[in-house]
Amino acid sequence: MENKPIARALRLLSQLMELHEVNPFKIKSIANAAFKVDKLPFPLAGKTVSELEKIDGIGKSLAAKIAELLATGTMTELQEMLAQTPDGVIEMMGIKGIGPKKVAIIWKELGIENVGELYYACNENRLIEAKGFGLKTQEEIIKVLEFRMAGNGKFLYAQVVKEVKALMEEIRGIFPDALKHIAGEFRRRSPIISEVVIVVGSLNQEIAYQALAELDTLKNVTLSGTHISAELNNGLLVDIICVDKANYYYELFINTGDTEHVDAVLARINTPLELPETEELIYQKAGLAWMPAELREGKSFIEKAAADNLPTLISYHDLKGTLHNHSTWSDGVNTLEEIALYCRDELKLEYLGISDHSKSAFYAKGLSIERVLQQHEEIDHLNKKLEGFHIFKGIESDILNDGSLDYPDEILKRFDFIVASIHANLKMQADKATARLIKAIENRYTTILGHPTGRLLLSRKGYDIDHKKVIDACAANNVVIEINSNPLRLDLDWRWHQYALDKGVMLSINPDAHRNAGFHDMYYGINVARKGGLTKDMCLNALSITEVTEVFKKKREGR
């Protein structure tokens, strides 16, 4: 074994000791030894324990550890420390800008156990008030984590939307008279993007290649036949397809839908397709109504298109209010009044459902019963003060390990609505997770099931559940299911929306906003709601204030 891996092992041991608050003198001794071992001009391998002891900065105790490492490839003390530490916490220690002391706060005080949860917490502004952190540190951590997430070649839609639209503007300048459109995953509004595909109705590939190669927004630009390949500066792959104008709409069609969808449509065409002048003509030849790009994944909506029974997809402007939001009462950045005024005056909404964290969420300043009552007094005051707007009293109640909610019934009944969510003990088997959710759903006060699987896209898989059993329970108990619009969540997954809608379960496009800017995440919720075929009449927060008030009233009365 060379000196560098020995130094790394000692450094990791010192960091874990600091994380677990071992004797600081011992930590300093091992950290110093790691530094010195890394700089030694001779190898340690092959030396006896007595020889190791004589090396400056090592000594008797460390010599034994190094000898054990050289003999076995590890150290007993290191293995014991690793066994006490979640893998995700160890991974966090490798993040630039946060050392063991900060990781200890993140883990032990904020309850965060992996990189995905840390990224989500940063986006919730949860690190700002933690000891030793601040806005600048939080922003630096976000940058590092986003760079790490990009390393796998996949990006959240929300991460790249600005860059993709900026690239499209530049392409419009290069091809002012050509047909051009974004296709692929981005046009389908997929939550995760691995490549941006753009179809251009022009055969001037060489001219386009020269112009694109000079753009500051692209790198590694290459030309191969009709394809110009490149990368955005963040590493996202780009494929620009230059085709004859006569083939444009066919190429746009086959490069928009996924393979299963395109094959299913083309299989229905029995006559020569020739050169379609629009995408609509392709679907018409297949005996189908034209399908919005969001629905072009798989065959789920093919039969509805054949029966001319496609849903009229919800749009952002259909939303009348916003539910599941956090204020300074828990871990939000803005006050209740600031949020209400922003929603009324900037977003032109009719109502706000405030649902701060419940008492078990200590890491997010969850509300004690006394603070719940105090918040309700403020809401009553604001509802008298604000004209043309209403604040509903809600809470995001933690679903406890046994499936019960986080307050007694006499407190739960005081709320207008309750979002029931799991935030702790996420490492559950599917049967346990399902049973836990169903018990919460069966609670007479549960109005909305929040982010059902707890997933964080590109970061955390989330717990497995039996989706059908959970959705069936929501149908039986008149519980709405959330589409959490945070770009990291987008949970309930769009693939289950139709099953829920077919069962008569309403969905709610909730931003889970922790600051005013977070309300715009509802755009991403709309994206996946459209992919799932949601219509405005089945979206809770597309109801008018009168209609949603009646929904809440019926739920509280058990109707």
Side-chain angles (χ1 to χ4, degrees):
M1 182 181 290
E2 295 181 359
N3 286 359
K4 281 197 177 293
I6 297 172
R8 283 198 296 269
L10 290 172
R11 191 176 301 113
L12 177 58
L13 178 59
S14 70
Q15 290 172 332
L16 289 169
M17 285 179 165
E18 190 173 357
L19 180 71
H20 291 283
E21 300 178 339
V22 177
N23 185 309
F25 295 104
K26 190 174 181 181
I27 295 168
K28 187 175 181 180
S29 173
I30 295 174
N32 286 339
F35 177 79
K36 290 184 176 181
V37 166
D38 193 34
K39 303 299 181 184
L40 286 175
F42 54 84
L44 293 180
K47 294 192 177 296
T48 65
V49 174
S50 59
E51 288 173 328
L52 291 171
E53 289 176 5
K54 295 174 184 177
I55 298 171
D56 181 46
I58 292 183
K60 188 174 182 179
S61 175
L62 279 171
K65 295 183 193 303
I66 293 171
E68 181 187 8
L69 181 63
L70 288 169
T72 67
T74 187
M75 295 177 283
T76 301
E77 192 169 7
L78 177 60
Q79 290 304 312
E80 290 173 350
M81 286 284 176
L82 289 170
Q84 298 172 37
T85 315
D87 291 342
V89 173
I90 295 169
E91 186 182 2
M92 281 194 283
M93 288 201 301
I95 296 171
K96 182 181 178 182
I98 54 174
K101 288 183 180 178
K102 283 189 169 70
V103 172
I105 293 169
I106 291 168
W107 175 29
K108 297 177 181 179
E109 295 185 18
L110 300 181
I112 296 167
E113 290 195 354
N114 61 53
V115 170
E117 291 173 1
L118 176 60
Y119 184 66
Y120 184 74
C122 286
N123 279 278
E124 287 186 326
N125 265 14
R126 198 180 295 168
L127 265 65
I128 287 180
E129 296 182 6
K131 183 180 178 182
F133 291 85
L135 181 61
K136 185 177 179 181
T137 302
Q138 180 174 273
E139 289 175 346
E140 288 301 317
I141 291 172
I142 288 174
K143 288 179 184 176
V144 172
L145 294 181
E146 287 183 342
F147 180 79
R148 288 164 66 98
M149 289 167 67
N152 65 7
K154 295 182 179 180
F155 297 77
L156 300 177
Y157 179 98
Q159 284 180 301
V160 300
V161 62
K162 288 182 180 178
E163 289 87 345
V164 173
K165 289 184 176 180
L167 174 62
M168 195 62 194
E169 283 302 311
E170 291 184 302
I171 288 175
R172 288 191 180 99
I174 295 170
F175 299 100
D177 301 320
L179 297 166
K180 48 212 166 272
H181 208 294
I182 298 171
E185 297 165 327
F186 195 86
R187 190 182 179 201
R188 298 199 304 269
R189 304 192 193 195
S190 298
I192 296 173
I193 307 295
S194 57
E195 182 183 43
V196 175
V197 179
I198 298 173
V199 181
V200 179
S202 171
L203 285 176
N204 294 323
Q205 295 102 327
E206 188 63 41
I207 296 173
Y209 165 69
Q210 296 295 337
L212 291 166
E214 293 178 5
L215 295 180
D216 293 334
T217 51
L218 293 178
K219 60 183 181 180
N220 301 327
V221 182
T222 59
L223 173 62
S224 178
T226 61
H227 292 257
I228 300 172
S229 301
E231 293 178 36
L232 290 174
N233 287 322
N234 61 11
L236 179 61
L237 299 177
V238 176
D239 184 16
I240 300 168
I241 306 170
C242 298
V243 299
D244 187 279
K245 284 187 178 180
N247 286 320
Y248 177 77
Y249 287 104
Y250 176 75
E251 289 291 336
L252 181 61
F253 163 74
I254 65 170
N255 283 287
T256 293
D258 68 3
T259 301
E260 186 180 12
H261 175 85
V262 170
D263 289 348
V265 174
L266 293 180
R268 299 174 67 97
I269 299 176
N270 300 316
T271 58
L273 187 56
E274 297 176 348
L275 298 175
E277 296 178 358
T278 63
E279 280 189 307
E280 284 85 346
L281 286 174
I282 298 173
Y283 284 95
Q284 184 179 327
K285 283 227 172 190
L288 303 170
W290 179 79
M291 300 178 69
E294 297 93 323
L295 302 183
R296 301 187 200 179
E297 299 221 18
K299 299 185 287 187
S300 301
F301 289 92
I302 294 287
E303 293 307 316
K304 290 189 177 185
D308 198 17
N309 192 32
L310 286 173
T312 301
L313 301 180
I314 192 168
S315 72
Y316 181 84
H317 299 291
D318 291 324
L319 300 181
K320 299 292 190 296
T322 173
L323 306 168
H324 189 174
N325 308 291
H326 300 268
S327 72
T328 49
W329 279 91
S330 63
D331 59 345
V333 172
N334 297 100
T335 65
L336 266 175
E337 185 168 11
E338 287 170 345
I339 294 169
L341 291 173
Y342 186 80
C343 289
R344 184 191 70 177
D345 300 339
E346 300 296 325
L347 303 182
K348 309 302 181 185
L349 297 174
E350 297 178 9
Y351 54 86
L352 162 72
I354 199 68
S355 49
D356 279 303
H357 285 285
S358 63
K359 60 181 181 178
S360 290
F362 60 90
Y363 54 84
K365 297 191 300 180
L367 275 62
S368 64
I369 291 174
E370 181 182 13
R371 293 182 69 228
V372 166
L373 301 179
Q374 291 170 348
Q375 186 188 58
H376 286 187
E377 288 182 7
E378 183 182 358
I379 292 171
D380 288 338
H381 169 72
L382 288 171
N383 279 333
K384 292 176 182 177
K385 176 181 176 181
L386 298 171
E387 294 183 3
F389 193 79
H390 185 78
I391 304 173
F392 288 105
K393 299 169 184 173
I395 197 78
E396 185 179 17
S397 179
D398 268 31
I399 299 174
L400 305 181
N401 286 341
D402 65 354
S404 59
L405 299 189
D406 203 12
Y407 296 107
D409 286 358
E410 57 264 29
I411 298 301
L412 293 174
K413 68 183 181 183
R414 289 175 175 265
F415 296 101
D416 294 316
F417 74 102
I418 289 168
V419 180
S421 306
I422 289 177
H423 291 108
N425 189 17
L426 305 180
K427 299 173 183 177
M428 298 172 287
Q429 297 295 322
D431 56 347
K432 182 179 179 181
T434 300
R436 184 179 178 186
L437 286 175
I438 289 174
K439 182 174 178 181
I441 290 164
E442 290 174 345
N443 187 303
R444 60 171 294 188
Y445 296 106
T446 298
T447 317
I448 301 171
L449 176 62
H451 45 72
T453 72
R455 75 179 186 182
L456 297 175
L457 293 170
L458 298 181
S459 303
R460 184 176 74 199
K461 177 178 176 288
Y463 38 87
D464 292 320
I465 62 172
D466 186 323
H467 280 81
K468 289 186 177 181
K469 285 184 179 179
V470 169
I471 292 169
D472 290 348
C474 288
N477 292 277
N478 195 27
V479 169
V480 178
I481 299 179
E482 171 178 85
I483 301 173
N484 189 293
S485 300
N486 185 299
L488 276 161
R489 289 193 182 275
L490 300 178
D491 184 18
L492 182 71
D493 187 277
W494 63 269
R495 295 166 185 84
W496 286 101
H497 293 182
Q498 273 301 297
Y499 183 84
L501 296 172
D502 289 344
K503 291 288 182 175
V505 176
M506 292 191 79
L507 304 177
S508 184
I509 299 172
N510 296 340
D512 198 355
H514 286 70
R515 62 179 72 80
N516 282 347
F519 288 102
H520 295 283
D521 285 351
M522 288 192 290
Y523 281 105
Y524 307 119
I526 286 287
N527 283 354
V528 294
R530 288 173 63 88
K531 289 181 73 63
L534 180 62
T535 56
K536 68 177 183 180
D537 59 301
M538 288 298 288
C539 177
L540 179 64
N541 56 312
L543 299 180
S544 69
I545 187 168
T546 302
E547 293 168 327
V548 82
T549 299
E550 184 64 18
V551 169
F552 291 159
K553 181 181 177 183
K554 285 182 178 179
K555 180 64 181 178
R556 289 198 309 276
E557 294 174 352
R559 290 187 284 146

